[in-house]
Amino acid sequence: MKKNYNIMKKNQSQFYLINVAAVIGGVLLLTLLSIIQKTYCGIPLELEGFIAPIFFGAFAGLIIGLLYSRMARLNNRLTSNLKQLSAKNMVLQESEENLRITLNSIGDAVIDTDVEGCVMRMNPMAEKLTGWEIADALGCPLDKVFVIIDELTQSSLESPYQCVLREKDVVEQAESVLLIAKNGTTYPITDSAAPILNTDGVITGIVVVFQDVTEERRAQKAANSIDKNYRNLIEGSIEGILIHKDFKPLLVNKSYAEIHGYSVDEILAMESIFPIFASHERSRLIDYYKARTRGEDAPRQYEYQGVRKNGDIIWLDMRAMLIEWREESVVLTTIFDITKRKRIEKDKAKLETQFQQAQKFEATSTLAGGVAHDFNNLLMGIQGNASLMLMYADIPPAFIEKLKNIEHYVQRGTELTQQLLTLARGTVLEVRPTDLNASINRSAKLFSRTHKEITIHQNMQANLYKADADQGQIEQVFLNLFVNAFHAMPSGGDLYLETQNTYINKESPMPLILPAGHYVRLTVTDTGMGMDRETQAKIFDPFFTTKSKGEGTGLGLTSVYGIIKKHGGVINVYSEKGEGTTFNIYLPASGKLETDETEEIIDDTIEGGKETILLVDDEDIVIIVGGEMLEILGYTVLTAHNGLEALDIYKADQDRIDLVILDIIMPQMGGEETFEQLMAINPNAAVLLSSGYAINGKAERIISKGCRGFIQKPFDIRHLSQKVRATLK
């Protein structure tokens, strides 16, 4: 341009010189003509007529020169503008070509539309997936080229074009999306759409980006797509996306920042992303990073714990891979927040543990019930024989002492059997609305009398809910827990007892297999040696004990678990080695009025009779011993080993049979069916039920049908005599 200006200036100067030379030449010519005319003709030349045209011509030349100069400048400017336009056009064409090359190179399928939703551009991947060539698709509505349905319901999905116009923002379809190609082929895809805005922020079209996820190549495609021109796509992702080098953040999207409670700028301002990793995870993540950058094997997907800005620990699922970005090797990571899933899994695991423990308890309780039933019959034989021998007056005093010792040991065996029977299925406790504050206080006083080295602290809630409970069994629970605490504190310590009203629902902080409602929570805490997790998992198992051989049966906590379970409650334990142990018991609050509690009056009287009694039991030892005791009491005894045999005997001798002592559990025909048949024969028949179990559901049903009483095995002659007389009366 400078060269053109110099040429123009040079031409203008030459034109001025020519005009000046013309004027001077004209004046000189006229002067010469005037001299010649005057010399040879003697007539002077009139110059006035020539001067005006000369100057007029010079002036015209000057004007023409100026016009020529202006035209030259205009020509140069026009030439310059044309060159600038040509350069801009080349830049635009180059930019368009770069965009075309970029779109053709990426692994994602891309479709651009105008503001009316008609296709303007689509890359080869979009052509491949949709089955449409750009020549055919150009100008067609987007929902004709890009046909998507819900994979689960097979129903049509709304066009991304409509979604973007409505939301005026980046939108994503549901995960279960199928793309139907022109030839009918379907592809599972993920897709998102974003508005295209002009400089005034007005939507001029949309861009749709989608991927074929059949081979799960999204992570690699996302890496290939990372570029400044596609930042909107990254920001629209629900995944947290981070690019870092040596843990220095280089690029981060909004989702990644929000998951950790930061803004994007705060993340990018970090010198290292270590603060968002839990401290115990950092060495592992560093090892993975070093292995990955060295080209060694490293997990591409793993779970780890992160830290939010407020200090909360969160669980994250990360996918990491090494990529080339901006001509350097960096790590691309995508994350999902799986904290809620982990919490659900943890709660589910706790519930499964409780459920498995309950199943294991059900199995062992069934076994325990069978063992206890047989054991009771053996004790019945021992007790009965001891009672029979004590009836003889000529027994030496030394033998009397031994027999009483036998009865004492039988009583201890009976107590052990009752613990086993408490575990057995079908056992129903004698429950009534009970003041648990009073029960735990009585148990604590009884315990403290013999364990003065233990300091008991009580924190009892006033107006505590009543609970439907068997007072004796619940107090046994407390004593078993107190004894367990004593064994954990052999040198003495502190025992903390607490009661509290509570309400449990699905939002309660700890998962319990309990229906929603009001409960009484009983807490027993000791300052003893504590337990490890392995021991905690076994403490409620039958016959499990940490005591030395001969120091315990391993049934104390098992019976506690069984009693609480039969009450419709839950017991759990928390302990740390060296930090003591806490048992928490949850019992349903009672909706009934409290009843008066009466104590059984003990009577040592032995009273016989002359009536005839039919003794029905499938165990020979009960038949033999029980029959002998009844005969010593003066009764006439008939015996039967099952229900069928008993019915035959009763039909034959019902007129002289005054009482039937009937076992509940027998082969061929059980006690309940036998009782019903007896009532059919004689509605006024006197029947006394006998069982090794406490009064349970089956016994209660029989009693409700007219049975006159119940006696629990093993029984001694005193107890038998009183029950028989009470039933006959």
Side-chain angles (χ1 to χ4, degrees):
M1 183 174 177
K2 184 175 181 180
K3 181 178 180 182
N4 292 336
Y5 175 78
N6 291 334
I7 294 173
M8 179 191 70
K9 186 173 181 182
K10 180 178 180 182
N11 292 339
Q12 184 178 0
S13 300
Q14 291 176 349
F15 186 77
Y16 289 155
L17 289 175
I18 292 171
N19 285 331
V20 172
V23 173
I24 295 174
V27 173
L28 291 175
L29 181 59
L30 288 177
T31 304
L32 180 59
L33 290 174
S34 175
I35 295 173
I36 295 171
Q37 185 174 351
K38 183 175 182 181
T39 303
Y40 293 98
C41 300
I43 301 173
L45 185 63
E46 297 293 335
L47 298 177
E48 291 83 355
F50 293 97
I51 294 175
I54 291 172
F55 281 98
F56 179 76
F59 181 74
L62 181 60
I63 294 300
I64 291 171
L66 291 174
L67 290 175
Y68 172 79
S69 175
R70 172 62 67 178
M71 290 178 66
R73 285 198 297 272
L74 290 175
N75 178 66
N76 290 336
R77 185 177 302 170
L78 180 61
T79 300
S80 176
N81 289 342
L82 288 174
K83 289 182 178 180
Q84 291 179 5
L85 288 175
S86 176
K88 290 181 178 180
N89 186 54
M90 289 179 64
V91 171
L92 183 60
Q93 290 178 353
E94 183 179 352
S95 177
E96 181 71 18
E97 179 64 14
N98 288 340
L99 179 58
R100 185 188 67 80
I101 293 173
T102 301
L103 290 177
N104 290 349
S105 301
I106 64 175
D108 294 346
V110 180
I111 299 177
D112 290 351
T113 75
D114 58 18
V115 72
E116 300 297 330
C118 295
V119 176
M120 294 178 59
R121 181 188 293 110
M122 58 194 301
N123 67 351
M125 182 58 71
E127 290 181 296
K128 176 182 177 181
L129 294 180
T130 63
W132 285 76
E133 294 184 0
I134 182 60
D136 297 329
L138 195 62
C140 292
L142 177 63
D143 54 7
K144 182 178 180 180
V145 176
F146 186 69
V147 181
I148 52 176
I149 62 173
D150 188 287
E151 186 174 6
L152 300 178
T153 65
Q154 298 294 303
S155 59
S156 298
L157 294 175
E158 186 179 13
S159 170
Y161 168 74
Q162 299 294 338
C163 294
V164 171
L165 288 186
R166 182 181 64 252
E167 302 295 335
K168 295 181 175 54
D169 201 353
V170 176
V171 296
E172 293 186 355
Q173 295 287 357
E175 293 183 359
S176 55
V177 179
L178 283 181
L179 170 67
I180 302 179
K182 189 176 182 181
N183 62 1
T185 304
T186 59
Y187 299 95
I189 64 167
T190 58
D191 70 297
S192 63
I196 300 174
L197 308 176
N198 62 15
T199 55
D200 296 324
V202 177
I203 296 177
T204 60
I206 71 165
V207 56
V208 181
V209 180
F210 52 99
Q211 297 174 323
D212 176 9
V213 294
T214 305
E215 299 180 3
E216 298 184 349
R217 295 290 299 267
R218 185 165 67 175
Q220 184 61 47
K221 291 176 183 178
N224 293 337
S225 300
I226 294 176
D227 188 88
K228 185 184 294 185
N229 294 333
Y230 298 95
R231 186 66 61 86
N232 285 340
L233 296 180
I234 296 175
E235 289 301 326
S237 173
I238 61 173
E239 298 177 349
I241 298 177
L242 169 74
I243 294 178
H244 71 86
K245 183 174 179 63
D246 297 331
F247 298 100
K248 167 66 178 176
L250 304 176
L251 184 147
V252 62
N253 71 347
K254 186 178 180 182
S255 295
Y256 189 96
E258 288 180 345
I259 287 173
H260 292 89
Y262 291 90
S263 68
V264 171
D265 290 340
E266 286 175 325
I267 295 287
L268 292 175
M270 294 180 178
E271 289 299 322
S272 168
I273 54 175
F274 283 158
I276 61 177
F277 297 150
S279 57
H280 63 277
E281 297 279 17
R282 293 173 187 172
S283 60
R284 178 167 69 105
L285 297 179
I286 291 174
D287 291 342
Y288 288 167
Y289 176 80
K290 290 180 178 179
R292 189 174 293 110
T293 54
R294 289 195 299 260
E296 301 172 359
D297 288 339
R300 293 189 60 182
Q301 180 180 358
Y302 47 89
E303 297 175 355
Y304 71 99
Q305 287 185 302
V307 182
R308 287 178 56 84
K309 184 178 180 179
N310 61 4
D312 290 346
I313 299 296
I314 54 176
W315 273 100
L316 300 169
D317 184 312
M318 176 187 284
R319 293 169 176 82
M321 62 185 303
L322 204 61
I323 65 169
E324 292 296 322
W325 188 70
R326 295 182 180 177
E327 299 182 353
E328 62 179 343
S329 181
V330 297
V331 174
L332 166 68
T333 63
T334 58
I335 62 170
F336 286 98
D337 187 347
I338 58 172
T339 305
K340 184 178 293 185
R341 190 192 80 191
K342 282 289 187 179
R343 186 180 301 116
I344 292 173
E345 290 176 353
K346 183 178 180 180
D347 292 346
K348 181 181 178 182
K350 288 182 179 179
L351 290 174
E352 287 178 349
T353 300
Q354 291 182 0
F355 179 70
Q356 290 169 1
Q357 189 176 44
Q359 285 185 315
K360 181 170 61 175
F361 180 80
E362 289 294 329
T364 55
S365 67
T366 302
L367 174 62
V371 171
H373 180 267
D374 294 339
F375 192 44
N376 250 341
N377 290 327
L378 294 175
L379 291 175
M380 178 69 211
I382 300 171
Q383 175 67 68
N385 280 291
S387 295
L388 290 171
M389 293 177 70
L390 286 170
M391 295 297 294
Y392 293 100
D394 57 348
I395 299 177
F399 286 3
I400 293 176
E401 183 67 24
K402 297 298 182 184
L403 289 172
K404 287 185 177 180
N405 284 340
I406 290 173
E407 285 193 320
H408 173 69
Y409 295 138
V410 168
Q411 181 60 36
R412 290 186 61 183
T414 301
E415 293 173 357
L416 176 60
T417 305
Q418 289 306 311
Q419 288 185 334
L420 285 171
L421 288 173
T422 302
L423 305 180
R425 293 190 297 180
T427 301
V428 177
L429 304 172
E430 298 178 8
V431 299
R432 60 175 59 91
T434 302
D435 182 356
L436 296 179
N437 276 345
S439 293
I440 200 170
N441 187 52
R442 279 194 296 270
S443 300
K445 286 182 178 179
L446 179 62
F447 175 77
S448 64
R449 290 172 187 167
T450 55
H451 299 85
K452 298 185 181 298
E453 65 271 44
I454 304 295
T455 302
I456 298 178
H457 309 269
Q458 296 188 29
N459 181 16
M460 305 299 172
Q461 176 165 339
N463 301 317
L464 188 70
Y465 298 146
K466 298 293 188 298
D468 290 330
D470 182 314
Q471 178 182 323
Q473 293 289 345
I474 287 297
E475 291 183 5
Q476 183 64 47
V477 165
F478 297 147
L479 287 173
N480 284 357
L481 291 177
F482 298 165
V483 171
N484 184 77
F486 165 72
H487 286 295
M489 301 181 292
S491 300
D494 295 290
L495 185 63
Y496 296 88
L497 311 178
E498 183 179 357
T499 61
Q500 184 180 14
N501 294 329
T502 186
Y503 181 79
I504 291 177
N505 56 22
K506 63 181 181 180
E507 282 79 28
S508 296
M510 60 182 303
L512 298 170
I513 309 176
L514 290 172
H518 294 280
Y519 290 82
V520 179
R521 189 181 75 182
L522 311 166
T523 302
V524 178
T525 301
D526 64 60
T527 57
M529 63 187 69
M531 296 176 283
D532 55 27
R533 293 186 180 275
E534 182 178 357
T535 302
Q536 290 180 56
K538 298 178 181 178
I539 58 171
F540 296 123
D541 291 352
F543 307 109
F544 174 78
T545 179
T546 58
K547 305 180 188 72
S548 301
K549 185 176 180 180
E551 293 185 2
T553 64
L555 287 173
L557 291 179
T558 306
S559 64
V560 166
Y561 183 91
I563 292 170
I564 297 303
K565 184 174 182 293
K566 297 302 179 185
H567 280 78
V570 164
I571 180 171
N572 58 43
V573 60
Y574 175 78
S575 182
E576 295 287 346
K577 197 72 174 175
E579 298 295 331
T581 301
T582 295
F583 288 93
N584 288 302
I585 298 173
Y586 295 82
L587 291 174
S590 174
K592 303 175 185 177
L593 296 175
E594 186 174 7
T595 57
D596 293 334
E597 300 175 358
T598 58
E599 295 184 359
E600 182 181 359
I601 299 175
I602 299 176
D603 186 359
D604 290 331
T605 302
I606 297 177
E607 184 178 358
K610 301 297 182 180
E611 291 86 353
T612 298
I613 298 175
L614 174 59
L615 177 61
V616 186
D617 200 295
D618 63 317
E619 294 289 341
D620 288 337
I621 192 169
V622 177
I623 290 290
I624 295 171
V625 174
E628 288 187 21
M629 286 194 291
L630 289 171
E631 288 175 349
I632 286 180
L633 291 171
Y635 299 104
T636 300
V637 180
L638 305 176
T639 61
H641 287 81
N642 57 64
L644 293 175
E645 185 180 346
L647 290 174
D648 291 339
I649 295 173
Y650 191 82
K651 288 176 183 178
D653 296 306
Q654 63 175 304
D655 292 337
R656 71 186 188 96
I657 295 176
D658 300 292
L659 175 67
V660 179
I661 300 177
L662 180 63
D663 189 20
I664 295 178
I665 302 175
M666 296 183 296
Q668 298 184 8
M669 180 181 287
E672 185 171 9
E673 186 178 355
T674 302
F675 175 79
E676 292 173 350
Q677 295 290 337
L678 287 172
M679 292 295 101
I681 297 171
N682 179 12
N684 296 318
V687 179
L688 175 64
L689 288 179
S690 174
S691 176
Y693 292 97
I695 296 180
N696 56 23
K698 185 176 293 186
E700 286 182 336
R701 285 198 306 270
I702 297 174
I703 291 173
S704 68
K705 294 177 182 179
C707 183
R708 298 191 183 181
F710 176 83
I711 185 170
Q712 185 171 356
K713 297 182 286 186
F715 47 78
D716 57 19
I717 195 168
R718 177 191 60 80
H719 192 198
L720 176 63
S721 71
Q722 293 172 0
K723 280 289 184 180
V724 169
R725 293 318 305 167
T727 305
L728 288 172
K729 290 178 182 179

